[in-house]
Amino acid sequence: MTAIEDRPGIAERYARALESSHLEVKTDERCSVDYLIAAGWVDESLGTLLFRLRAEFDGVRAEQRLAERNLLAAQALAAQLPSEFARDWAQRSAEEAALTERALILVHLKTLHVAKAALGRHASILATKTRFMQDDAAVMRIAGRALDAWLDPLCPRCNGTGQIGAYGEPRSICTACHGAKLRSMRLANDEAGHQFGLLLMGRMDSKCDYVAARMRRFLSQRGG
């Protein structure tokens, strides 16, 4: 979540509050603890979990960006190898290493497991309401992929730039996202499942928008 304004937005301030060790309440100014109280005040359990999870993910973006820079460096080295076979092998190895490193980063998200479980329950209910007639295991897989795509929508190959190429060298359109800057990710093998995943992601957006609006309302009464 990128703040449009120059000053930090509510999501960024909430992310900072989660990491803050200064949680004293001040009567004359808004402080970190106010954002934590505001989130706890919201009457939307899944939305609050997702809002917190995304804030936690934003907090580890620096580590993720380092992993992505390492991938770019490995890709540049791979491109210099003499044979096409060696280049392809090195490219795949670099991407696999980047995916592993990303998975290790995600382990540090404290809210991930509880949010994923809550989203799974919501997805199961949504599947029943929308008559998406697949078994619970399939619904859970779609929910997991939707959560992954929702947390990190940028293309991992080009880091959301739409272009690839080592620093100081000619840049070309990213072949993974075709310049769209976003991950090209199917949420299910079939179209019905993919569309259900997109519907679920829309619900996740709506719930987080609701949480942000309620937090703003609470904080406006707090002043500061």
Side-chain angles (χ1 to χ4, degrees), residues 109-136:
L109 302 181
K110 300 175 183 178
T111 312
L112 179 60
H113 294 298
V114 63
K116 188 174 181 179
L119 180 63
R121 292 190 293 270
H122 179 78
S124 181
I125 294 171
L126 182 62
T128 300
K129 289 182 177 179
T130 59
R131 299 185 182 278
F132 177 63
M133 308 307 293
Q134 292 197 20
D135 58 39
D136 288 344

Side-chain angles (χ1 to χ4, degrees), residues 15-166:
R16 291 180 182 178
L18 291 173
E19 299 297 326
S20 177
S21 59
H22 303 288
L23 298 178
E24 69 276 12
V25 177
K26 299 180 181 179
T27 58
D28 57 344
E29 64 179 275
R30 188 181 297 171
C31 49
S32 293
V33 71
D34 291 312
Y35 291 88
L36 302 181
I37 295 173
W41 178 74
V42 178
D43 56 342
E44 169 52 65
S45 57
L46 176 58
T48 303
L49 283 172
L50 291 172
F51 193 84
R52 176 167 184 151
L53 177 60
R54 192 155 60 176
E56 289 176 353
F57 183 80
D58 288 347
V60 299
R61 278 192 186 278
E63 294 180 57
Q64 184 192 8
R65 293 296 176 258
L66 177 59
E68 290 162 350
R69 287 196 296 271
N70 290 339
L71 173 59
L72 288 175
Q75 288 173 334
L77 290 174
Q80 298 173 11
L81 293 175
S83 71
E84 182 177 353
F85 175 81
R87 289 194 296 271
D88 289 344
W89 180 86
Q91 176 69 41
R92 288 195 300 271
S93 297
E95 291 177 352
E96 289 174 3
L99 288 174
T100 300
E101 192 166 357
R102 180 174 177 275
L104 292 174
I105 291 171
L106 294 182
V107 167
H108 297 291
L109 302 181
K110 300 175 183 178
T111 312
L112 179 60
H113 294 298
V114 63
K116 188 174 181 179
L119 180 63
R121 292 190 293 270
H122 179 78
S124 181
I125 294 171
L126 182 62
T128 300
K129 289 182 177 179
T130 59
R131 299 185 182 278
F132 177 63
M133 308 307 293
Q134 292 197 20
D135 58 39
D136 288 344
V139 172
M140 294 303 106
R141 284 195 298 270
I142 294 171
R145 291 176 183 175
L147 181 59
D148 183 22
W150 180 81
L151 271 179
D152 188 14
L154 298 181
C155 173
R157 180 85 180 273
C158 64
N159 194 21
T161 64
Q163 297 181 328
I164 56 175

